[in-house]
Amino acid sequence: MKKTYLVALVFALSCSSVAGYAAEKEDSLLKDAQAAFRPIPDKAPVIKNNEATQDKIELGKMLYFEPRLSKSSLISCNTCHNVGLGGADYQQTSTGHGWKRGPRNAPTVLNSVFNLAQFWDGRAMDLAEQAKGPIQAGVEMNNTPESVVKTLTSMPEYVALFKKAFPSQDNPVTFDNMAKAIEVFEATLITPDSKFDLFLKGNAQALNQEEKEGLKLFMQHGCVSCHSGINMGGDGYYELGVVKKPSDAILAGDKGRYTVTQTKNDEFSFKSPSLRNIELTPPYFHSGVIWDLEEAVSVMNDSQLGADLKAGDIGKIVVFLKATTGKQPQVLHPILPAPTNTTPKPSLD
Amino acid sequence: MKKTYLVALVFALSCSSVAGYAAEKEDSLLKDAQAAFRPIPDKAPVIKNNEATQDKIELGKMLYFEPRLSKSSLISCNTCHNVGLGGADYQQTSTGHGWKRGPRNAPTVLNSVFNLAQFWDGRAMDLAEQAKGPIQAGVEMNNTPESVVKTLTSMPEYVALFKKAFPSQDNPVTFDNMAKAIEVFEATLITPDSKFDLFLKGNAQALNQEEKEGLKLFMQHGCVSCHSGINMGGDGYYELGVVKKPSDAILAGDKGRYTVTQTKNDEFSFKSPSLRNIELTPPYFHSGVIWDLEEAVSVMNDSQLGADLKAGDIGKIVVFLKATTGKQPQVLHPILPAPTNTTPKPSLD
């Protein structure tokens, strides 16, 4: 055997061993990720006690885009949860009736069906319950259930669509059914097939090296503690400021989950937000005061992890987070029914 | 010949002659209508000096739905010209920045490409010029061209889309090009194939008897003088209150076209609005104070025609007007670009 050949062989063997080691590490990253997260499915999940017929989804879409559900006839669900803006509104906190500001940043509607509950403090059990809140909130749509039902009943097309969506009911045009229809439509607003989803489904090459490093840091340093599962968040309540209160990012006096449970332990706890599609929905936190995603990760590092992550590492985590942006929902804008003379007129007061 | 047979024959002949006479009258109604009106085409019309490529239309659609063109990042073209609400907003006069009310009722965007000019007073020559108005108006979107260009330039996706839409230009992200893209999108918002369009295309059965009677009254009593052509209006300026000032329907101090031309003759003149799809867009008139379509026709009767139309006739005209509601545009809601750290933040002030 010639010497050069021997050298080449040793080199080849060592390369193959390095490659094998790297592949093993890659495989372990994929397995770790699969243990911590789940991919967004291609189809809307089934909602308990609220069958998603096509008629009901279509009605829900109309209601979601219906500004006449608000007292001013100006504000619809889509105003603050814009399907074209990552399901949110690019506002610090949402602006509603009378140009008033709501108390907290609008969470995205996208994938919200996977959250354990709705609102930052989890005060609504599900999306149907959630939908009833902003319609009645004085700083949002400022309407009443009675007026909503009057509005819907005034338009024969809506009455017919409610009958189709709730065929077994004699008087289907109700505030509850409105909320149920909105819920099944919102459940369709999911974002599958991000690079991260393809990775979780077993395609180890779907993430590039930097994204993988970001994912590794995300898991190693504990971000995953509050942002795991299918939605990378939205599955529990966590105190904001475990290590240090992030004074720049919290809203003075907002005690979060405590306002729902009145339990000392829940003071300053919030439902962890989903980090999916996060690049689309600044500003961040319930306060909406941080606009820069790197800064948001940095605030989390200081207040929750105390991990002393370097700027480069934070950058890599942001690169990974951008790989969670999935296919955005394709929504054909609904054509809303013609009003009649009995449809309530808008009021700006 | 038996007597009964003779009677039957005479009866048959007279029937056939009545039918022939009726058919002739029908034919004459169709011919009269075809002389006064034209059907909405199936395809968007060509715009002079603004080629409608698919790339430009798609960009225009995004800009039309882009709330970040407003200072508050809350208001888009679609807010006041909602494609789901007949291209208007169901407001007396539009509500904009700071919850302020604009001076006049928002005209529909649908078929607006067929108007001789834009706005109630025709102060914008075309849709591109029109689009620049509300973006800068203090009571509407309250923004500046500089800030709009900064917003669009801050998002690499928009920069790339402008390059595709205006491939021959070195620096295509301009306020003018924004308006041109919006114009070609708006030109697609047309509503062909109403029953009236099918009638105009030669199908004499497309309108039922009551609708035909309404059409006949509409032409006989002179409504057609200001509401003819392809858009049943939008083709000239006419004094409001030729017979009698409709004090309930006008806005004190609004001199209409006069503010544009400073010509005495134009005082209290307005562009006649299109009556197509009119059932979808209450309230009516530049003032937006009349919500009931029958009442609107009645006001016109008193102030413009002095025709003393009876309630039944007005009802028939309304039935005819409802037959002008065409196929509403099918618009896939655009997915807007992710903002960056240099995208201007919303300001509610």
Side-chain angles (χ1 to χ4, degrees), chain B residues 254-266:
Chain B
D254 189 340
K255 292 193 172 180
R257 179 79 178 150
Y258 175 82
T259 53
V260 180
T261 63
Q262 305 292 320
T263 303
K264 185 77 184 161
N265 214 28
D266 286 333

Side-chain angles (χ1 to χ4, degrees), chain A residues 107-174:
Chain A
T108 180
V109 68
L110 302 182
N111 306 309
S112 60
V113 65
F114 301 119
N115 293 339
L116 89 159
Q118 302 301 329
F119 294 115
W120 280 95
D121 53 18
R123 67 184 181 275
M125 188 180 64
D126 52 36
L127 288 168
E129 196 183 332
Q130 191 281 333
K132 298 180 196 173
I135 293 177
Q136 298 179 77
V139 296
E140 298 187 63
M141 294 163 77
N142 198 28
N143 214 345
T144 62
E146 296 70 33
S147 180
V148 163
V149 169
K150 199 176 164 195
T151 295
L152 297 171
T153 310
S154 75
M155 296 182 250
E157 192 181 334
Y158 268 129
V159 175
L161 292 168
F162 270 87
K163 280 187 182 153
K164 279 173 80 178
F166 300 94
S168 66
Q169 299 183 23
D170 289 338
N171 295 302
V173 187
T174 65

Side-chain angles (χ1 to χ4, degrees), chain A residues 26 29 60 64 74 83 94 130 137 221 235 237 250-251 257 262-263 329 340:
Chain A
E26 291 249 311
L29 178 66
Y64 188 86
L74 273 171
V83 296
S94 293
Q130 191 281 333
H221 290 284
D235 59 352
Y237 305 95
I250 59 177
L251 289 171
R257 179 79 178 151
Q262 306 291 321
T263 303
T340 65

Side-chain angles (χ1 to χ4, degrees), chain B residues 167-294:
Chain B
S168 66
Q169 299 182 23
D170 288 338
N171 295 301
V173 187
T174 66
F175 196 58
D176 281 349
N177 283 345
M178 170 212 74
K180 287 192 154 196
I182 290 174
E183 179 176 48
V184 293
F185 168 65
E186 288 181 338
T188 68
L189 301 178
I190 57 178
T191 64
D193 293 341
S194 69
K195 293 206 273 178
F196 185 47
D197 286 310
L198 302 180
F199 180 78
L200 288 175
K201 285 178 180 174
N203 176 0
Q205 303 316 310
L207 294 182
N208 67 29
Q209 202 48 44
E210 202 180 4
E211 289 157 352
K212 281 178 187 165
E213 285 170 30
L215 166 59
K216 208 180 298 174
L217 291 162
F218 188 90
M219 294 200 291
Q220 266 172 4
H221 290 284
C223 310
V224 71
S225 311
C226 303
H227 298 283
S228 64
I230 189 168
N231 229 0
M232 306 178 68
D235 59 353
Y237 305 95
Y238 304 93
E239 189 187 341
L240 189 56
V242 179
V243 175
K244 193 176 79 180
K245 285 282 168 228
S247 55
D248 295 347
I250 58 176
L251 289 170
D254 189 340
K255 292 193 172 180
R257 179 79 178 150
Y258 175 82
T259 53
V260 180
T261 63
Q262 305 292 320
T263 303
K264 185 77 184 161
N265 214 28
D266 286 333
E267 266 190 1
F268 307 110
S269 284
F270 293 89
K271 192 183 68 189
S272 61
S274 168
L275 296 186
R276 288 183 168 281
N277 308 288
I278 194 72
E279 66 170 323
L280 303 180
T281 60
Y284 304 112
F285 301 116
H286 67 287
S287 59
V289 294
I290 308 287
W291 290 81
D292 179 333
L293 188 50
E294 295 221 10

